Amino acid sequence: TIVSTGASTANFTAPATPPSPNTVNVIATPAADPARAASVTLTITVTTTIAVQVSPATSTRAVNHRQTLSVEVTGTSNRNVTWQVNGTPGGDTTAGQICVVGVGPCQPVSTTNGGSVDYLAPASVPSRNPVTVSATSQADSTKSGSAQVTILAHLQVNVSPPSVTLAPRATQQFTAAVDGTSDQVVTWQVSGPGCGGAGSPCGGIDSTGFYTAPFAPPAPNTVNVTATSSEDTSRSGSARVTIATGLTITALLPASVTASAAGGFTLKVEGANFVASSPGPGSTILFNNSPRTTNCSGSSECTTTLAGVDVATAASLPVQIRNTDNTTSNQVFLVVVPPAASDDVIALSSAAPSATGKDIVVVEPTTAGTSTDLNLNVVAVGSYSASSNTCVLGSDPLVLARPASGTATADICAFSLSGLDPALNYTLTGPAPNDILVVAKQPLGLGIIRLTLQLSSTALPGPRTLFIENANKDKTAATGAFEVK
């Protein structure tokens, strides 16, 4: 149809479907002289917004392996597509076949209503590689999508990073990619000519590929970290690890302390290629660029004692090892953290079960240089009877009963294998100011302490945690040890 919009203009509207033939003439005839008519020829075509996308767009598969492909058709309600491999509907045994997903042996299929199919790689690498798997819209045969599949003769295992140099006791996360299959499960192992003998002279690796270097370099000092495909154990990949042989610090114990600690604690330096103090002379610890009295029990461990003045203020203090030939190790830092002005509270509820933006600073115990156990750990708490001088320890939260009015006291006892004494600081969680006070402390022997608590009738009900802190600002918590009722 055509509608005049002015003396010399008009709008033409194309038909809903193209005519046959699909050309039309639009003629303009001047009223003043009909013999002077002119025309223009228009071609009527179909425009479409149909799009076809196949995913994944690229992949790698070993011979006789499957790759699941998905197709998405947009712009039409007709989701039917025709599948081809290198132009062959449904594919063939030379270039690979299109199969129903998860059905074995292959159930061939060449058309689907969208959805997914399995591409089954051929039994040998085709001459045309990679192969093209395409899906063509049946609503518009000019619209199609495709994927490129590279065919491998066998599985290939690649380990990343391929090579790395580590200090003794350092760690490295390795990852493995198995090309040619969807099965990415691998087993890890460490090997090398110097890996024989007792212990783990070449270090160890767990099931996730997390490698830990040995305490001292093996001889030779290179090892292989190998990932083997669980699907085909004849296929594996390796990374080369070189264990540094120079003077190296790998760890400080503790690596952090709280400022204003009383001091008198042991700083342990672990690493490799130290010189033992006996028969001597041995290595020297340089703390904050100053040599300290040092005892080295062997080539991998030296210790010194730090005083309160050494960690009086917050800072990152450098630590090095110097050998008798004046060679020095890498520099590591003891982090001295400022003491917290007050305890923070992370309030959670059923309506708000999580919190964000809450950084928790964890400072290591000063006992880390001599023991892996924090000597403040509370094994149990219980009630204490002054009349019978007995302590009844239990595992359940100890109930603290509020008085009907005023204040009241309650005697409790706490036990630690390393011993608890009145010199330690004992506090309970609560509001500010606290509604439960520790008003007396008495040692009972065998690592048991008697605490006399004072609570008021207005004390808040609910669970309470017992905190214990020593002079070096090491703190432990007996979480939910008490419940106020």
Side-chain angles (χ1 to χ4, degrees):
T1 59
I2 191 165
V3 177
S4 176
T5 59
S8 60
T9 59
N11 281 341
F12 172 77
T13 303
T17 59
S20 182
N22 66 331
T23 58
V24 297
N25 293 323
V26 176
I27 303 170
T29 302
D33 187 356
R36 299 297 181 179
S39 67
V40 63
T41 300
L42 303 178
T43 301
I44 311 301
T45 60
V46 176
T47 59
T48 177
T49 58
I50 294 175
V52 181
Q53 183 176 5
V54 177
S55 60
T58 60
S59 65
T60 302
R61 281 297 177 265
V63 294
N64 294 320
H65 279 70
R66 294 190 179 212
Q67 170 67 62
T68 299
L69 300 172
S70 299
V71 63
E72 183 179 5
V73 182
T74 57
T76 177
S77 60
N78 184 355
R79 301 291 190 263
N80 292 332
V81 295
T82 300
W83 292 90
Q84 295 180 324
V85 181
N86 285 350
T88 302
D92 54 34
T93 57
T94 301
Q97 296 176 278
I98 302 299
C99 313
V100 175
V101 174
V103 176
C106 176
Q107 181 177 328
V109 62
S110 59
T111 62
T112 64
N113 183 14
S116 300
V117 296
D118 274 353
Y119 164 74
L120 175 62
S124 60
V125 178
S127 57
R128 179 180 168 183
N129 192 24
V131 300
T132 301
V133 180
S134 61
T136 302
S137 169
Q138 291 187 354
D140 182 355
S141 61
T142 66
K143 304 299 181 180
S144 65
S146 64
Q148 301 292 312
V149 183
T150 301
I151 310 302
L152 303 177
H154 52 72
L155 301 185
Q156 295 179 0
V157 183
N158 299 300
V159 177
S160 182
S163 63
V164 65
T165 298
L166 298 176
R169 292 197 64 193
T171 60
Q172 175 67 49
Q173 178 66 62
F174 289 95
T175 58
V178 185
D179 293 336
T181 180
S182 58
D183 186 352
Q184 297 296 302
V185 179
V186 297
T187 56
W188 295 91
Q189 67 178 40
V190 178
S191 62
C195 297
S200 301
C202 289
I205 193 166
D206 66 13
S207 60
T208 68
F210 188 77
Y211 172 76
T212 302
F215 279 84
N221 66 322
T222 57
V223 300
N224 293 319
V225 171
T226 303
T228 301
S229 168
S230 63
E231 179 183 331
D232 183 354
T233 56
S234 67
R235 301 298 167 185
S236 62
S238 297
R240 184 181 180 88
V241 180
T242 301
I243 309 302
T245 57
L247 180 60
T248 305
I249 295 177
T250 59
L252 292 182
L253 296 172
S256 59
V257 295
T258 302
S260 71
F265 61 88
T266 298
L267 176 68
K268 180 190 293 185
V269 182
E270 295 181 338
N273 300 303
F274 303 165
V275 178
S277 299
S278 179
S283 300
T284 300
I285 294 177
L286 303 179
F287 179 79
N288 202 16
N289 303 312
S290 175
R292 307 301 292 260
T293 301
T294 305
N295 178 58
C296 298
S297 59
S299 63
S300 61
E301 181 182 300
C302 295
T303 60
T304 190
T305 300
L306 297 185
V309 67
D310 294 320
V311 293
T313 58
S316 291
L317 304 176
V319 179
Q320 285 182 289
I321 291 287
R322 183 175 65 196
N323 275 353
T324 53
D325 60 359
N326 285 325
T327 57
T328 55
S329 71
N330 57 310
Q331 192 175 73
V332 296
F333 292 89
L334 174 69
V335 179
V336 183
V337 178
S342 61
D343 291 332
D344 191 13
V345 175
I346 302 177
L348 303 178
S349 66
S350 57
S354 62
T356 59
K358 293 289 187 179
D359 293 333
I360 300 176
V361 177
V362 179
V363 181
E364 291 187 307
T366 55
T367 55
T370 54
S371 170
T372 57
D373 297 324
L374 177 59
N375 65 355
L376 300 180
N377 284 346
V378 178
V379 176
V381 297
S383 59
Y384 175 77
S385 172
S387 59
S388 60
N389 193 28
T390 57
C391 172
V392 181
L393 297 171
S395 57
D396 294 328
L398 182 63
V399 174
L400 300 178
R402 294 178 296 175
S405 61
T407 62
T409 59
D411 287 321
I412 63 99
C413 49
F415 169 64
S416 169
L417 291 175
S418 299
L420 301 173
D421 61 68
L424 303 176
N425 185 34
Y426 302 86
T427 57
L428 274 74
T429 52
N434 207 311
D435 55 6
I436 300 181
L437 303 177
V438 179
V439 295
K441 299 178 286 187
Q442 178 185 354
L444 299 179
L446 301 177
I448 302 175
I449 186 79
R450 171 191 174 184
L451 302 177
T452 301
L453 308 180
Q454 177 180 286
L455 65 161
S456 69
S457 59
T458 59
L460 294 178
R464 300 296 181 93
T465 293
L466 173 66
F467 288 113
I468 305 176
E469 184 180 75
N470 66 12
N472 278 332
K473 305 300 181 181
D474 302 325
K475 181 180 284 190
T476 190
T479 305
F482 307 101
E483 182 176 3
V484 177
K485 290 187 175 181

